[in-house]
Amino acid sequence: MDFLTILQILDSSVRLATPLLLACLAGLYSERAGIFDIGLEGKMLAAAFLSAAVAAVTGSVWLGLLAGIAASMVLSGLHGLASITFRGNQLISGVAINFLASGLTVLVAQDWFAQGGRTPSLGGDARFTGLTLPFADALAGVPVIGPVYAELISGHSILVYLAVAAVPATWWVLYRTRFGLRLRAVGENPAAVDTAGISVVGLRFAAVAICGLLCGIAGAYLSTALQAGFVKEMTAGRGFIALAALIFAKWRPWQAMWACLLFGVLQAIALRYQNIRLGEITIPVQVMDALPYVLTVVILAGFVGKAIAPRAGGEPYVKER
Amino acid sequence: MTGATLSERRETAAPAIELKGISKAFGPVQANRDISIRVMPGTIHGIIGENGAGKSTLMSILYGFYKADRGEIFIKGRKTEIPDSQAAISAGIGMVFQHFKLVENFTVLENIILGAEDGALLNRSMAKARTELVQLEREYGLNVDPDAVIEEIGVGKQQRVEILKALYRRAEILILDEPTGVLTPAEADQLFRVLGRLRAEGKTIILITHKLREIMEITDTVSVMRRGEMTATVKTAETSPEQLAELMVGRKVLLRVDKAPAKPGAPVLEVENLRVVDEAGVERVKGISLNVRAGEILGIAGVAGNGQSELLEVLGGMRSGRGVLRMRGQVMDPGADGKARRAMGIAHVPEDRQREGLIMGFHAWENVAFGYHDDARYRSGMFMNNRALREDTAAKMERFDVRPPDPWLAAKNFSGGNQQKIVVAREIEQNPALLLVGQPTRGVDIGAIEFIHKQIVALRDAGAAVLLVSVELDEILSLSDRIAVMFDGRIMGERLPGQTDETELGLLMAGMSEAAA
């Protein structure tokens, strides 16, 4: 395997890791506040559809992004309403959102575009294209550093850079701001927050809203940057892999980035080597496609060690007598 | 100038807190009924009452957790609405809950500033809190390391953090709910010294407790609550524990356990070098040897979490240990086998009745069967004889004065004391050779305590051996014929109740060696 191949795989890893990372950070905000969210998948899917649809109709990817975020935040609001306001079961609410998004996106897509549950292919301004960073072309000739900069670092869509920037930003918010302190506290012991005179409901809704925002960006990235248009079930379990990465990272932002990159690399390898020949045997493509998911299970089962979830996670807050 | 001093004087003359006609109902249950009290500034006011008397509800209303149905609150003479905790804090009220409201994996400093931060960034708040903490430490002797993580410091220190939290928010009125429940006697004394200093600084303190001794020791005035009503408010100096107990229960109560000297017989349970390792791999019991003889009560004293629970669980067959156990001379397997234990004549009243003693959603009669459901008397052929079981339950309920005596009622619908009576009835009526009892009166009202104590003594007098584990020193002292003190998985020493006192036991409980004690 030569240097350029490695660079290309890494480049593809970054692209594939981006939606995972955005969804993972989305989950981080929500779960750190004590609201478990297995509806990341559904929110991404809804966002992917609506952003592609709006981008296709208006021709503006930015309007598409906004629409995607709106779709995701509406579902977040629903999850918040069910699990915070009405103190329902967070898993059930999440499952419901996944089903809702899965069915509704295809139905509406068929109704609007009549292309078998797809949106029309996006092109031009209806899609996020790669940004060429300054000096990328000039430096391309420099050995090692040049290709790394031009191939790997430069040339991604703005959402990729946004996702990477969201990592230190999340760390800073969590550990250096009042909001972060309260957010972490409400996921550990909401009673402490409540008796300190802070609204548990308000904080948790804020966290769920941020979760919706980030999931919306993740979904829009899928259909308007990674691919050119929406197809049925295009999230393909990414919401769940993001959750796996979150557990793997033990709910910490930097570790979340590394975990998502790892899963990104696995997906990139599967994508590049569809048919590997080992002597006489050809490994079928399905095995390679399943590999990231299989490894997810292996990593979660064997390598995570003891992951301590936010202690109040999953439990609706009820004032005790 | 004169006007200012006059109004100031009027301010100090007004009560720090005055409640007028507070009523609060939860559905059909009247938790507080027309309650009025006045607490003067710079005093410690005790509120005493049985479980469910409405003490905590009243304080929750004062701290903005609940809204009263009727009634008014005056703080320093001014009528104040307290719709939420934020309002209570700004009215100068601080509360130390029985179960601390701390974020376990945060540092002391983070817990203190939570909700009282200055500005959106943490740096400034942290620096400011750090300096202020040093000052509070000096003023009240409340020293804790600001960078320590809560889950790594002891409960006594955690409680200080709760007090510091209130003081950091400039609380003038401090409410403490059952503050000594988790403390060693030495820690409790320390707490009382801090409270004394706070009082000297002009702070007003409300102390909620069910321990008469604490009321007598530290309060200036005391209010008694019973069934949601305030039955009396008296000056502490002008009352007695007997009178307060009577006011609490509504009838005369025997505070001392009335029992004849023990006539111990042959050893029933012998334990040699028992070791217990818990799920986390920590050794909780570190080589204990003891024996309990027929017709005696061995009390195990100790602060919660020093291995007593694990000891009891191994003996009851809920957990496995290593070592030699002998029951009436016969060697027992130290593995976890509750059924084998019961077959050997061991009955077990576990420490946590709601998690280990009962299934809360099941009927009383079903709960009475647990552990004994295979007995011939509850069986007819391969089926359970539910009718016999229900009749037996009704009879037990009558003998043990369980109220209401309804076998069809779910366990969760009985009060704490009556739940405990169901468990005690089930175990004692097996006529065991050895009764293991953990925290028999935790969360149980005074009337039921008296009854349960009598039953345990009666079982002893009938010749059974009793192993009693309790964190309540009063209970250990009044019930035991012999006392062993546990600390950090070991027995620190054995004493006879007549020849020791709380101070000596307290030192042993804190791990001081025999020589130092």
Side-chain angles (χ1 to χ4, degrees):
Chain A
M1 216 187 311
D2 60 282
F3 183 56
L4 202 63
T5 313
I6 293 176
L7 272 190
Q8 280 167 355
I9 290 176
L10 287 178
D11 182 59
S12 156
S13 304
V14 170
R15 288 169 207 275
L16 289 164
T18 296
L20 295 179
L21 179 56
L22 286 164
C24 189
L25 292 175
L28 191 145
Y29 279 100
S30 183
E31 301 210 342
R32 270 295 179 108
I35 303 293
F36 283 167
D37 193 351
I38 61 166
L40 296 176
E41 176 90 358
K43 286 200 272 277
M44 275 164 86
L45 195 63
F49 165 68
L50 206 64
S51 57
V54 169
V57 171
T58 63
S60 161
V61 71
W62 290 103
L63 286 179
L65 176 66
L66 285 181
I69 290 173
S72 169
M73 287 185 76
V74 165
L75 291 182
S76 264
L78 212 59
H79 186 52
L81 205 63
S83 56
I84 306 170
T85 311
F86 296 115
R87 299 174 192 145
N89 185 301
Q90 298 172 7
L91 294 184
I92 292 176
S93 164
V95 169
I97 283 171
N98 288 338
F99 277 131
L100 190 69
S102 163
L104 213 54
T105 48
V106 181
L107 182 78
V108 176
Q110 179 63 19
D111 186 55
W112 288 1
F113 304 107
Q115 294 187 4
R118 296 163 169 265
T119 61
S121 258
L122 304 174
D125 285 342
R127 224 190 137 196
F128 281 109
T129 45
L131 299 178
T132 306
L133 293 186
F135 312 117
D137 295 328
L139 283 170
V142 183
V144 188
I145 299 172
V148 166
Y149 186 69
E151 284 285 327
L152 184 58
I153 297 175
S154 171
H156 296 289
S157 83
I158 185 153
L159 297 184
V160 174
Y161 302 108
L162 184 76
V164 173
V167 175
T170 298
W171 179 86
W172 185 80
V173 165
L174 275 188
Y175 297 104
R176 288 290 180 269
T177 68
R178 176 176 62 190
F179 175 70
L181 182 79
R182 293 176 173 189
L183 186 89
R184 285 182 288 134
V186 83
E188 292 289 334
N189 186 358
V193 170
D194 194 13
T195 53
I198 313 164
S199 162
V200 172
V201 170
L203 262 177
R204 288 191 159 171
F205 263 109
V208 166
I210 296 174
C211 171
L213 172 76
L214 291 171
C215 266
I217 300 175
Y221 174 84
L222 278 180
S223 64
T224 63
L226 193 65
Q227 287 164 35
F230 172 84
V231 286
K232 185 181 177 224
E233 302 289 357
M234 76 181 303
T235 42
R238 283 188 172 86
F240 295 104
I241 294 186
L243 276 183
L246 185 60
I247 298 170
F248 194 27
K250 298 181 180 170
W251 294 268
R252 291 169 298 183
W254 284 107
Q255 286 81 350
M257 185 180 79
W258 297 121
C260 289
L261 274 174
L262 175 68
F263 286 114
V265 169
L266 294 177
Q267 290 185 342
I269 291 174
L271 211 59
R272 186 172 177 100
Y273 299 103
Q274 292 275 297
N275 285 300
I276 294 183
R277 291 183 61 84
L278 290 175
E280 289 306 297
I281 312 155
T282 305
I283 297 177
V285 58
Q286 287 85 350
V287 171
M288 290 311 290
D289 283 342
L291 200 61
Y293 302 93
V294 172
L295 283 174
T296 303
V297 173
V298 171
I299 286 173
L300 280 184
F303 295 95
V304 176
K306 203 174 175 205
I308 299 168
R311 265 166 255 198
E315 286 165 24
Y317 176 59
V318 184
K319 278 182 190 189
E320 59 184 300
R321 279 185 63 182
Chain B
M1 275 309 280
T2 337
T5 32
L6 255 180
S7 76
E8 258 178 41
R9 204 170 294 158
R10 209 171 299 138
E11 283 261 329
T12 48
I17 304 175
E18 181 166 17
L19 303 179
K20 282 188 187 165
I22 297 280
S23 292
K24 171 79 187 170
F26 295 100
V29 183
Q30 192 74 36
N32 286 162
R33 194 193 307 269
D34 194 24
I35 288 181
S36 301
I37 41 169
R38 296 156 60 96
V39 182
M40 300 310 285
T43 63
I44 300 183
H45 185 91
I47 294 186
I48 194 163
E50 299 191 308
N51 289 297
K55 299 168 297 196
S56 295
T57 304
L58 186 64
M59 289 307 118
S60 296
I61 289 170
L62 197 49
Y63 197 65
F65 253 45
Y66 299 128
K67 196 167 164 28
D69 300 336
R70 270 193 311 282
E72 296 174 318
I73 301 171
F74 294 85
I75 305 289
K76 290 187 197 153
R78 208 168 304 125
K79 186 169 185 309
T80 312
E81 294 291 330
I82 306 182
D84 51 33
S85 303
Q86 188 64 58
I89 292 166
S90 32
I93 300 172
M95 180 130 175
V96 177
F97 290 87
Q98 184 176 7
H99 304 286
F100 304 145
K101 307 292 181 191
L102 297 171
V103 182
E104 296 252 298
N105 56 0
F106 276 23
T107 64
V108 169
L109 209 54
E110 285 175 322
N111 267 291
I112 286 175
I113 63 168
L114 181 66
E117 307 91 341
D118 299 87
L121 301 186
L122 287 184
N123 276 344
R124 239 191 48 216
S125 320
M126 296 280 242
K128 183 186 156 215
R130 202 178 282 276
T131 23
E132 224 168 282
L133 212 54
V134 175
Q135 210 172 333
L136 287 173
E137 248 182 62
R138 241 201 329 263
E139 229 167 306
Y140 302 110
L142 285 161
N143 49 316
V144 274
D145 172 11
D147 296 312
V149 177
I150 295 296
E151 59 198 349
E152 287 163 12
I153 61 179
V155 278
K157 287 254 165 89
Q158 291 181 0
Q159 190 173 58
R160 284 185 188 178
V161 177
E162 284 284 21
I163 296 174
L164 284 167
K165 255 168 79 178
L167 295 176
Y168 186 73
R169 286 159 173 74
R170 312 243 170 274
E172 288 296 316
I173 299 159
L174 203 60
I175 306 169
L176 295 107
D177 191 0
E178 301 282 358
T180 58
V182 290
L183 303 182
T184 62
E187 281 174 324
D189 285 346
Q190 233 167 21
L191 171 70
F192 286 165
R193 273 200 294 280
V194 169
L195 295 186
R197 273 169 97 160
L198 288 167
R199 167 169 58 187
E201 296 282 329
K203 308 262 185 209
T204 310
I205 293 163
I206 297 184
L207 180 71
I208 302 171
T209 179
H210 66 275
K211 293 183 185 166
L212 292 164
R213 195 165 44 84
E214 288 169 4
I215 291 285
M216 299 310 293
E217 197 175 320
I218 184 131
T219 62
D220 301 301
T221 47
V222 52
S223 296
V224 184
M225 286 187 75
R226 171 153 52 99
R227 293 195 195 131
E229 291 180 60
M230 198 67 98
T231 49
T233 297
V234 290
K235 285 203 164 64
T236 311
E238 294 166 5
T239 186
S240 65
E242 287 75 18
Q243 189 198 357
L244 288 177
E246 196 180 332
L247 285 167
M248 274 165 76
V249 186
R251 60 177 169 84
K252 284 216 179 299
V253 202
L254 207 58
L255 287 179
R256 281 271 138 200
V257 180
D258 205 7
K259 67 175 176 35
K263 299 185 200 70
V268 172
L269 174 75
E270 291 161 282
V271 176
E272 273 171 40
N273 197 25
L274 180 71
R275 289 175 184 277
V276 182
V277 178
D278 72 4
E279 295 79 8
V282 181
E283 188 166 57
R284 305 310 297 257
V285 176
K286 301 172 176 169
I288 277 190
S289 300
L290 55 80
N291 65 74
V292 194
R293 290 166 295 176
E296 79 164 350
I297 299 175
L298 174 67
I300 308 260
V303 180
N306 277 292
Q308 315 93 302
S309 308
E310 286 79 5
L311 170 68
L312 204 60
E313 284 170 15
V314 171
L315 294 179
M318 292 168 64
R319 175 191 282 282
S320 54
R322 280 184 298 119
V324 181
L325 303 181
R326 265 192 302 274
M327 184 69 191
R328 290 186 280 195
Q330 222 177 321
V331 174
M332 279 194 303
D333 174 20
D337 188 348
K339 198 169 178 174
R341 295 288 199 284
R342 277 190 289 277
M344 302 285 270
I346 299 177
H348 183 189
V349 178
E351 288 187 307
D352 187 341
R353 62 176 165 273
Q354 304 202 342
R355 280 183 40 223
E356 295 153 354
L358 298 165
I359 297 181
M360 300 304 282
F362 277 29
H363 302 127
W365 64 268
E366 290 169 310
N367 273 296
V368 163
F370 290 136
Y372 307 101
H373 47 274
D374 281 339
D375 285 13
R377 61 195 154 131
Y378 297 148
R379 223 170 44 195
S380 73
M382 60 179 288
F383 297 105
M384 286 189 70
N385 186 350
N386 290 349
R387 180 192 298 259
L389 189 46
R390 280 195 287 274
E391 280 163 7
D392 187 36
T393 304
K396 280 189 168 66
M397 286 177 133
E398 176 152 1
R399 284 195 292 275
F400 277 77
D401 190 28
V402 178
R403 278 180 249 177
D406 178 1
W408 280 104
L409 205 60
K412 63 174 176 229
N413 294 331
F414 289 93
S415 74
N418 284 303
Q419 287 172 2
Q420 188 71 331
K421 281 186 196 168
I422 293 175
V423 179
V424 170
R426 178 179 73 205
E427 301 301 331
I428 282 187
E429 296 226 330
Q430 308 305 322
N431 284 322
L434 170 68
L435 179 70
L436 307 169
V437 212
Q439 321 297 349
T441 55
R442 180 185 277 169
V444 169
D445 43 76
I446 289 198
I449 289 177
E450 187 191 13
F451 184 85
I452 289 170
H453 282 175
K454 264 190 198 157
Q455 298 301 321
I456 293 173
V457 172
L459 187 73
R460 177 205 74 166
D461 291 342
V466 178
L467 181 77
L468 165 75
V469 168
S470 176
V471 293
E472 300 282 351
L473 257 190
D474 289 341
E475 182 167 50
I476 291 281
L477 275 166
S478 58
L479 215 50
S480 313
D481 301 311
R482 211 150 45 91
I483 300 170
V485 183
M486 268 185 86
F487 172 76
D488 193 25
R490 294 189 180 85
I491 289 183
M492 298 302 292
E494 265 192 34
R495 294 288 185 277
L496 293 174
Q499 297 164 17
T500 185
D501 55 18
E502 301 216 344
T503 318
E504 189 190 18
L505 293 177
L507 286 169
L508 289 170
M509 280 162 71
M512 311 288 175
S513 70
E514 302 235 15

